[in-house]
PDB file of all heavy atoms in Angstrom:
ATOM      1  N   ASN N  52    -124.845 -48.080-206.222  1.00 85.00           N
ATOM      2  CA  ASN N  52    -123.726 -47.510-206.983  1.00 85.00           C
ATOM      3  C   ASN N  52    -123.193 -46.229-206.340  1.00 85.00           C
ATOM      4  O   ASN N  52    -121.977 -46.012-206.297  1.00 85.00           O
ATOM      5  CB  ASN N  52    -124.139 -47.250-208.433  1.00 85.00           C
ATOM      6  CG  ASN N  52    -124.177 -48.521-209.246  1.00 85.00           C
ATOM      7  OD1 ASN N  52    -123.267 -49.326-209.173  1.00 85.00           O
ATOM      8  ND2 ASN N  52    -125.247 -48.707-210.006  1.00 85.00           N
ATOM      9  N   VAL N  53    -124.072 -45.383-205.839  1.00 85.00           N
ATOM     10  CA  VAL N  53    -123.633 -44.154-205.170  1.00 85.00           C
ATOM     11  C   VAL N  53    -122.859 -44.504-203.902  1.00 85.00           C
ATOM     12  O   VAL N  53    -121.822 -43.901-203.603  1.00 85.00           O
ATOM     13  CB  VAL N  53    -124.835 -43.231-204.870  1.00 85.00           C
ATOM     14  CG1 VAL N  53    -124.452 -42.105-203.921  1.00 85.00           C
ATOM     15  CG2 VAL N  53    -125.404 -42.667-206.163  1.00 85.00           C
ATOM     16  N   PHE N  54    -123.323 -45.498-203.161  1.00 83.00           N
ATOM     17  CA  PHE N  54    -122.627 -45.934-201.958  1.00 83.00           C
ATOM     18  C   PHE N  54    -121.225 -46.432-202.293  1.00 83.00           C
ATOM     19  O   PHE N  54    -120.244 -46.044-201.659  1.00 83.00           O
ATOM     20  CB  PHE N  54    -123.446 -47.024-201.251  1.00 83.00           C
ATOM     21  CG  PHE N  54    -122.770 -47.600-200.048  1.00 83.00           C
ATOM     22  CD1 PHE N  54    -122.694 -46.868-198.864  1.00 83.00           C
ATOM     23  CD2 PHE N  54    -122.208 -48.860-200.093  1.00 83.00           C
ATOM     24  CE1 PHE N  54    -122.066 -47.399-197.753  1.00 83.00           C
ATOM     25  CE2 PHE N  54    -121.581 -49.397-198.988  1.00 83.00           C
ATOM     26  CZ  PHE N  54    -121.515 -48.670-197.807  1.00 83.00           C
ATOM     27  N   ILE N  55    -121.115 -47.281-203.291  1.00 87.00           N
ATOM     28  CA  ILE N  55    -119.814 -47.830-203.697  1.00 87.00           C
ATOM     29  C   ILE N  55    -118.900 -46.713-204.211  1.00 87.00           C
ATOM     30  O   ILE N  55    -117.712 -46.665-203.883  1.00 87.00           O
ATOM     31  CB  ILE N  55    -119.988 -48.949-204.736  1.00 87.00           C
ATOM     32  CG1 ILE N  55    -120.636 -50.168-204.063  1.00 87.00           C
ATOM     33  CG2 ILE N  55    -118.668 -49.328-205.381  1.00 87.00           C
ATOM     34  CD1 ILE N  55    -121.067 -51.254-205.013  1.00 87.00           C
ATOM     35  N   ALA N  56    -119.445 -45.777-204.995  1.00 85.00           N
ATOM     36  CA  ALA N  56    -118.645 -44.656-205.488  1.00 85.00           C
ATOM     37  C   ALA N  56    -118.151 -43.797-204.319  1.00 85.00           C
ATOM     38  O   ALA N  56    -117.017 -43.312-204.331  1.00 85.00           O
ATOM     39  CB  ALA N  56    -119.460 -43.808-206.463  1.00 85.00           C
ATOM     40  N   GLY N  57    -118.955 -43.619-203.284  1.00 83.00           N
ATOM     41  CA  GLY N  57    -118.544 -42.863-202.101  1.00 83.00           C
ATOM     42  C   GLY N  57    -117.409 -43.539-201.362  1.00 83.00           C
ATOM     43  O   GLY N  57    -116.449 -42.888-200.930  1.00 83.00           O
ATOM     44  N   LEU N  58    -117.504 -44.858-201.210  1.00 80.00           N
ATOM     45  CA  LEU N  58    -116.409 -45.595-200.572  1.00 80.00           C
ATOM     46  C   LEU N  58    -115.116 -45.464-201.374  1.00 80.00           C
ATOM     47  O   LEU N  58    -114.044 -45.224-200.819  1.00 80.00           O
ATOM     48  CB  LEU N  58    -116.777 -47.077-200.418  1.00 80.00           C
ATOM     49  CG  LEU N  58    -117.851 -47.409-199.400  1.00 80.00           C
ATOM     50  CD1 LEU N  58    -118.170 -48.902-199.456  1.00 80.00           C
ATOM     51  CD2 LEU N  58    -117.396 -47.023-198.009  1.00 80.00           C
ATOM     52  N   TRP N  59    -115.224 -45.615-202.671  1.00 80.00           N
ATOM     53  CA  TRP N  59    -114.049 -45.515-203.549  1.00 80.00           C
ATOM     54  C   TRP N  59    -113.449 -44.111-203.468  1.00 80.00           C
ATOM     55  O   TRP N  59    -112.234 -43.947-203.344  1.00 80.00           O
ATOM     56  CB  TRP N  59    -114.455 -45.859-204.979  1.00 80.00           C
ATOM     57  CG  TRP N  59    -113.359 -45.655-205.971  1.00 80.00           C
ATOM     58  CD1 TRP N  59    -112.315 -46.476-206.223  1.00 80.00           C
ATOM     59  CD2 TRP N  59    -113.198 -44.524-206.832  1.00 80.00           C
ATOM     60  NE1 TRP N  59    -111.513 -45.931-207.194  1.00 80.00           N
ATOM     61  CE2 TRP N  59    -112.032 -44.730-207.583  1.00 80.00           C
ATOM     62  CE3 TRP N  59    -113.932 -43.357-207.036  1.00 80.00           C
ATOM     63  CZ2 TRP N  59    -111.583 -43.813-208.511  1.00 80.00           C
ATOM     64  CZ3 TRP N  59    -113.485 -42.445-207.964  1.00 80.00           C
ATOM     65  CH2 TRP N  59    -112.326 -42.684-208.691  1.00 80.00           C
ATOM     66  N   ALA N  60    -114.275 -43.078-203.512  1.00 79.00           N
ATOM     67  CA  ALA N  60    -113.782 -41.703-203.454  1.00 79.00           C
ATOM     68  C   ALA N  60    -113.121 -41.423-202.099  1.00 79.00           C
ATOM     69  O   ALA N  60    -112.093 -40.747-202.038  1.00 79.00           O
ATOM     70  CB  ALA N  60    -114.927 -40.719-203.700  1.00 79.00           C
ATOM     71  N   GLY N  61    -113.690 -41.936-201.035  1.00 77.00           N
ATOM     72  CA  GLY N  61    -113.099 -41.761-199.711  1.00 77.00           C
ATOM     73  C   GLY N  61    -111.719 -42.379-199.616  1.00 77.00           C
ATOM     74  O   GLY N  61    -110.787 -41.771-199.085  1.00 77.00           O
ATOM     75  N   ARG N  62    -111.568 -43.566-200.144  1.00 74.00           N
ATOM     76  CA  ARG N  62    -110.248 -44.220-200.128  1.00 74.00           C
ATOM     77  C   ARG N  62    -109.255 -43.442-200.975  1.00 74.00           C
ATOM     78  O   ARG N  62    -108.100 -43.286-200.606  1.00 74.00           O
ATOM     79  CB  ARG N  62    -110.364 -45.653-200.623  1.00 74.00           C
ATOM     80  CG  ARG N  62    -111.060 -46.574-199.646  1.00 74.00           C
ATOM     81  CD  ARG N  62    -111.155 -47.982-200.196  1.00 74.00           C
ATOM     82  NE  ARG N  62    -109.863 -48.519-200.538  1.00 74.00           N
ATOM     83  CZ  ARG N  62    -109.156 -49.352-199.778  1.00 74.00           C
ATOM     84  NH1 ARG N  62    -109.652 -49.733-198.629  1.00 74.00           N
ATOM     85  NH2 ARG N  62    -107.995 -49.806-200.173  1.00 74.00           N
ATOM     86  N   LEU N  63    -109.704 -42.951-202.112  1.00 72.00           N
ATOM     87  CA  LEU N  63    -108.835 -42.186-202.996  1.00 72.00           C
ATOM     88  C   LEU N  63    -108.374 -40.906-202.312  1.00 72.00           C
ATOM     89  O   LEU N  63    -107.197 -40.545-202.380  1.00 72.00           O
ATOM     90  CB  LEU N  63    -109.574 -41.854-204.298  1.00 72.00           C
ATOM     91  CG  LEU N  63    -108.786 -41.103-205.358  1.00 72.00           C
ATOM     92  CD1 LEU N  63    -107.645 -41.970-205.885  1.00 72.00           C
ATOM     93  CD2 LEU N  63    -109.702 -40.712-206.500  1.00 72.00           C
ATOM     94  N   MET N  64    -109.260 -40.227-201.614  1.00 69.00           N
ATOM     95  CA  MET N  64    -108.915 -38.984-200.925  1.00 69.00           C
ATOM     96  C   MET N  64    -107.929 -39.226-199.785  1.00 69.00           C
ATOM     97  O   MET N  64    -107.044 -38.424-199.544  1.00 69.00           O
ATOM     98  CB  MET N  64    -110.171 -38.304-200.380  1.00 69.00           C
ATOM     99  CG  MET N  64    -111.135 -37.835-201.450  1.00 69.00           C
ATOM    100  SD  MET N  64    -110.447 -36.582-202.515  1.00 69.00           S
ATOM    101  CE  MET N  64    -110.403 -35.216-201.384  1.00 69.00           C
ATOM    102  N   ARG N  65    -108.064 -40.317-199.070  1.00 65.00           N
ATOM    103  CA  ARG N  65    -107.186 -40.595-197.931  1.00 65.00           C
ATOM    104  C   ARG N  65    -105.769 -40.925-198.365  1.00 65.00           C
ATOM    105  O   ARG N  65    -104.836 -40.725-197.610  1.00 65.00           O
ATOM    106  CB  ARG N  65    -107.739 -41.738-197.106  1.00 65.00           C
ATOM    107  CG  ARG N  65    -108.979 -41.310-196.354  1.00 65.00           C
ATOM    108  CD  ARG N  65    -109.318 -42.262-195.322  1.00 65.00           C
ATOM    109  NE  ARG N  65    -108.285 -42.173-194.287  1.00 65.00           N
ATOM    110  CZ  ARG N  65    -108.308 -42.854-193.193  1.00 65.00           C
ATOM    111  NH1 ARG N  65    -109.269 -43.672-192.963  1.00 65.00           N
ATOM    112  NH2 ARG N  65    -107.359 -42.733-192.300  1.00 65.00           N
ATOM    113  N   ARG N  66    -105.576 -41.438-199.576  1.00 60.00           N
ATOM    114  CA  ARG N  66    -104.229 -41.770-200.041  1.00 60.00           C
ATOM    115  C   ARG N  66    -103.317 -40.555-200.048  1.00 60.00           C
ATOM    116  O   ARG N  66    -102.132 -40.670-199.824  1.00 60.00           O
ATOM    117  CB  ARG N  66    -104.274 -42.366-201.443  1.00 60.00           C
ATOM    118  CG  ARG N  66    -104.592 -43.807-201.439  1.00 60.00           C
ATOM    119  CD  ARG N  66    -104.334 -44.415-202.793  1.00 60.00           C
ATOM    120  NE  ARG N  66    -105.124 -45.617-202.873  1.00 60.00           N
ATOM    121  CZ  ARG N  66    -105.792 -46.012-203.910  1.00 60.00           C
ATOM    122  NH1 ARG N  66    -105.764 -45.319-205.014  1.00 60.00           N
ATOM    123  NH2 ARG N  66    -106.491 -47.112-203.878  1.00 60.00           N
TER     124      ARG N  66
END
Side-chain angles (χ1 to χ4, degrees):
N52 283 315
V53 168
F54 176 74
I55 291 171
L58 290 176
W59 174 79
R62 288 180 57 99
L63 182 66
M64 295 297 289
R65 289 194 69 177
R66 278 192 202 139

